[in-house]
Amino acid sequence: MFSLKKVFRSGYFWLSILSITVVAIAAALVPLETANILNYALAKDINTLIIWSIVLLATIAILLIFESFSQYFSVKYSNKFKADMVNHLTISISKKDWYSFQKKGTVDYLSYYNNDIEVLEEDYFQSILKSYQGFIALIANISVLFTLDKLLMVVVVISSIIPMLIPFIFQKHLAKLKSENMFQITNFNNKLSDFLDGFQLMKGFKKEDKFLNRLNLATESMNESKEKHEKADVTSNLITGIAFYISFIASLIIGAYRIATGTTSVGAVTGILQISDNLIYPINLISSQTKTLMATKTIRNDFKKLCSFDEKTNNYEDLNDKQNAIIIENLSFGYNDTKILNNVNFTFEKDKKYLLIGPSGQGKSTLLHLISGDIADFSGKVLVNKDIKNGIRLIPQKSLLIRDSIINNLTLFSDKPLGNVKNTLEKFKLNKFSSNEKLQAEFPNNVSPSGGEVQRMSISRTLLEQPQLLLLDEVTSALDKENQKFVEVELLKNFKGTVISVSHNYSEESLNYYDYVVEINDSKISVINKTDLEKNKSHNN
């Protein structure tokens, strides 16, 4: 399981920590060396003055060198873990079953990539380094203060604690506002997706004003949530700044009093005031980054949950049977609290053709997904013939072409004999795409197949895999009668294997290709006579 704590095992992280530590120590030593230079100048000790001046120059040189190292390693560390998050998120999504995957929309997943990972990189990974930078700078400066004046050190430390506690006061409020802002960003992306994907619908119904108003409301909500978070953050920073300047004034007054009473030197107080001024940055850094880290808690938990896997019981078993392809035993499944299939039992024989019919919403397509392994969380058993378990392919009603060449869409990046690819295209009347030039054409930039052609390409792609069991989910719904007829011949008459097909627009001729007609209705599954099909057809949508 991916853990954000992997950050602490990165070599670049520890090199960044080392560089930040050296920079913080060097920066803290500068006021001490400045105080010594001032004291020796007042004492007119030229030789020692020159030595401390050289030491100061060397310290500044070290500071600049390691500051560049710190920036370099920080960038390398940030980029590496951003890449790791993207990679692990992609792997985690790819391991989900279809049912779990489709619980979120495409826009939600894109939001994880484009928003949440960016937030985690900037507000979590970088904030860890910045928090350490503030913390080590604070420790280094306090240590130098101790060598200059112990009493003033106590005053500065005590007065510095108050600004550091302020982020904890705003913690829950800022985290809530940050979470709300991320929600509104996702909501805006959803509305934007509807606006772009539904462009034809919007124009066709002349509802531009309604779509625009919906998108504008989402934009306003997103901007308002961002403004609320920024206002709360500014308020927290303002209170922190006021608290710090109060501590600075207190240190100045006490330091001036100790000079007047002769209990400390001018150089010491000058160094202390310089360090007090230097404490502004680390204290503000600790304050701001603590708030930022706390605000990412919800996002971190959501990311961790998305990348986690629930161990599910494996309800699929191998079937040692030469006659049967699939045996379903006591299968039950539902969406949310609604049972779709309840205690279903059925046997599909090898090399037989089955037509699944029944009213809409009775679980026909769901059954195909259960057989194909797209749904892992169900009760009962699906026994799959071990000889065909790797040869099961589902052709969905809605086909998809990826943004790549036609040949890659057909082979899905695997090596297929070019002759087989061309023959399959010609078999499904896709000859115009079978030339070498067209096969290399990029979709959708250089070639734009029609809806029916996309469906036939999806079928061609499946048959190139040489499947042994075809699951067909309304595969001819996007085809005209002429194309529907020859596709049914290829898939039902000529295909040598098992076919389980869901169809509402089957033709009378295609019924002759089926061995069995199976009805699913009210969680019951049964074989019916073809002669009775016309009576049952009136129940289908």
Side-chain angles (χ1 to χ4, degrees):
M1 181 184 295
F2 180 77
S3 172
L4 294 176
K5 293 181 181 179
K6 283 179 63 179
V7 64
F8 302 116
R9 297 196 293 270
S10 167
Y12 288 122
F13 172 79
W14 290 108
L15 287 171
S16 297
I17 290 294
L18 176 62
S19 301
I20 289 170
T21 302
V22 174
V23 170
I25 294 172
L29 288 174
V30 169
L32 176 62
E33 293 160 0
T34 302
N36 286 332
I37 289 173
L38 182 59
N39 285 332
Y40 286 115
L42 291 173
K44 299 181 181 180
D45 188 343
I46 303 301
N47 292 331
T48 309
L49 176 63
I50 293 172
I51 293 173
W52 277 107
S53 297
I54 295 172
V55 171
L56 177 62
L57 291 173
T59 302
I60 292 174
I62 292 171
L63 188 153
L64 294 174
I65 291 170
F66 277 87
E67 176 64 30
S68 63
F69 287 165
S70 171
Q71 295 294 328
Y72 173 77
F73 292 131
S74 174
V75 170
K76 295 288 286 186
Y77 141 85
S78 180
N79 289 341
K80 181 182 184 302
F81 273 89
K82 183 178 178 181
D84 283 351
M85 282 193 295
V86 170
N87 183 56
H88 191 80
L89 178 59
T90 303
I91 292 173
S92 301
I93 292 174
S94 71
K95 289 184 177 181
K96 293 181 180 294
D97 62 77
W98 169 81
Y99 176 60
S100 299
F101 171 80
Q102 55 87 40
K103 288 181 179 179
K104 293 183 180 293
T106 300
V107 173
D108 295 315
Y109 287 111
L110 289 175
S111 181
Y112 279 109
Y113 282 99
N114 298 328
N115 297 326
D116 293 31
I117 287 180
E118 290 291 334
V119 169
L120 287 174
E121 183 215 350
E122 295 176 9
D123 294 354
Y124 183 72
F125 292 147
Q126 289 295 335
S127 289
I128 290 174
L129 285 182
K130 290 176 181 177
S131 296
Y132 176 77
Q133 181 181 357
F135 176 77
I136 195 66
L138 185 65
I139 295 299
N141 280 286
I142 289 175
S143 299
V144 172
L145 277 175
F146 184 81
T147 65
L148 292 172
D149 190 302
K150 295 180 179 60
L151 179 60
L152 278 176
M153 181 206 72
V154 172
V155 173
V156 171
V157 169
I158 292 175
S159 58
S160 297
I161 290 175
I162 298 175
M164 294 175 64
L165 294 176
I166 291 173
F168 293 95
I169 300 173
F170 286 82
Q171 172 189 353
K172 290 185 179 179
H173 185 55
L174 284 169
K176 180 180 178 181
L177 292 176
K178 185 71 172 181
S179 179
E180 172 64 20
N181 182 230
M182 295 304 298
F183 172 80
Q184 293 299 340
I185 289 174
T186 300
N187 180 58
F188 168 78
N189 288 334
N190 281 317
K191 299 300 185 293
L192 179 60
S193 178
D194 290 342
F195 175 76
L196 297 174
D197 293 339
F199 189 81
Q200 185 178 17
L201 176 68
M202 175 185 71
K203 301 295 284 189
F205 282 79
K206 302 187 185 305
K207 297 293 184 180
E208 292 91 340
D209 56 335
K210 301 295 184 183
F211 274 72
L212 287 171
N213 183 58
R214 188 167 177 261
L215 183 60
N216 288 336
L217 288 175
T219 304
E220 290 175 6
S221 297
M222 178 179 66
N223 291 335
E224 285 176 4
S225 65
K226 181 181 179 182
E227 185 176 340
K228 286 180 180 178
H229 178 265
E230 290 177 345
K231 282 183 177 179
D233 192 43
V234 168
T235 301
S236 175
N237 290 337
L238 180 61
I239 295 173
T240 301
I242 291 172
F244 173 79
Y245 282 110
I246 290 173
S247 69
F248 177 80
I249 292 171
S251 300
L252 178 62
I253 293 173
I254 294 173
Y257 174 79
R258 286 176 64 76
I259 291 175
T261 58
T263 53
T264 193
S265 66
V266 174
V269 173
T270 302
I272 289 169
L273 292 178
Q274 188 177 351
I275 290 174
S276 297
D277 189 50
N278 289 347
L279 286 175
I280 294 176
Y281 178 70
I283 290 175
N284 283 338
L285 198 60
I286 293 172
S287 175
S288 63
Q289 297 310 309
T290 300
K291 290 183 299 181
T292 301
L293 280 169
M294 291 174 176
T296 64
K297 183 177 180 180
T298 301
I299 299 172
R300 283 184 279 132
N301 289 339
D302 288 345
F303 190 85
K304 183 179 179 181
K305 184 178 180 180
L306 182 66
C307 293
S308 64
F309 303 103
D310 294 329
E311 294 294 332
K312 299 183 185 297
T313 303
N314 186 5
N315 295 323
Y316 293 90
E317 295 183 7
D318 287 345
L319 176 64
N320 295 309
D321 192 329
K322 292 184 178 181
Q323 182 178 354
N324 298 317
I326 302 288
I327 296 178
I328 295 172
E329 294 183 352
N330 304 317
L331 187 149
S332 297
F333 175 77
Y335 295 101
N336 299 322
D337 296 326
T338 304
K339 281 285 186 182
I340 304 298
L341 299 170
N342 187 26
N343 202 33
V344 170
N345 294 275
F346 198 80
T347 298
F348 295 95
E349 298 177 28
K350 284 182 68 176
D351 302 328
K352 300 295 184 180
K353 311 295 191 296
Y354 294 83
L355 172 63
L356 297 187
I357 65 169
S360 296
Q362 294 300 306
K364 301 183 298 296
S365 297
T366 300
L367 181 61
L368 296 186
H369 285 291
L370 284 161
I371 293 172
S372 69
D374 287 340
I375 303 175
D377 191 12
F378 63 92
S379 62
K381 289 183 180 180
V382 175
L383 286 76
V384 183
N385 192 300
K386 66 178 184 179
D387 294 329
I388 68 171
K389 68 177 183 179
N390 293 323
I392 300 175
R393 295 293 183 272
L394 185 149
I395 305 178
Q397 180 177 0
K398 184 177 180 181
S399 298
L400 171 72
L401 292 185
I402 59 176
R403 293 173 176 82
D404 211 306
S405 65
I406 294 297
I407 186 69
N408 283 338
N409 267 284
L410 291 168
T411 64
L412 293 181
F413 315 104
S414 59
D415 292 329
K416 305 286 183 187
L418 189 59
N420 289 358
V421 174
K422 292 185 175 184
N423 290 338
T424 304
L425 288 174
E426 292 169 3
K427 185 184 296 183
F428 287 95
K429 297 183 180 181
L430 295 167
N431 308 57
K432 68 179 182 179
F433 300 104
S434 64
S435 68
N436 291 338
E437 180 182 356
K438 287 295 185 180
L439 285 172
Q440 297 301 325
E442 295 279 332
F443 171 83
N445 298 328
N446 301 321
V447 61
S448 299
S450 66
E453 288 170 337
V454 170
Q455 185 71 356
R456 282 180 280 148
M457 282 188 182
S458 175
I459 296 170
S460 300
R461 173 169 58 204
T462 303
L463 292 184
L464 281 168
E465 292 287 309
Q466 298 181 333
Q468 294 160 291
L469 191 156
L470 281 178
L471 303 170
L472 311 178
D473 191 2
E474 302 285 4
V475 293
T476 60
S477 60
L479 305 179
D480 55 36
K481 288 186 177 180
E482 180 183 350
N483 285 317
Q484 177 184 348
K485 185 175 180 180
F486 82 79
V487 166
E488 287 175 339
V489 170
E490 289 296 334
L491 294 179
L492 300 174
K493 182 180 179 180
N494 296 339
F495 176 72
K496 307 302 180 184
T498 308
V499 175
I500 305 174
S501 174
V502 172
S503 178
H504 285 96
N505 65 337
Y506 51 85
S507 64
E508 184 176 343
E509 183 179 350
S510 69
L511 282 177
N512 296 322
Y513 304 138
Y514 290 104
D515 297 293
Y516 300 99
V517 177
V518 180
E519 183 181 40
I520 301 180
N521 194 358
D522 195 23
S523 290
K524 294 183 176 66
I525 182 168
S526 57
V527 177
I528 65 173
N529 294 324
K530 293 182 183 180
T531 54
D532 297 331
L533 191 55
E534 286 301 319
K535 181 176 67 175
N536 288 278
K537 192 173 181 181
S538 62
H539 295 294
N540 296 337
N541 293 333

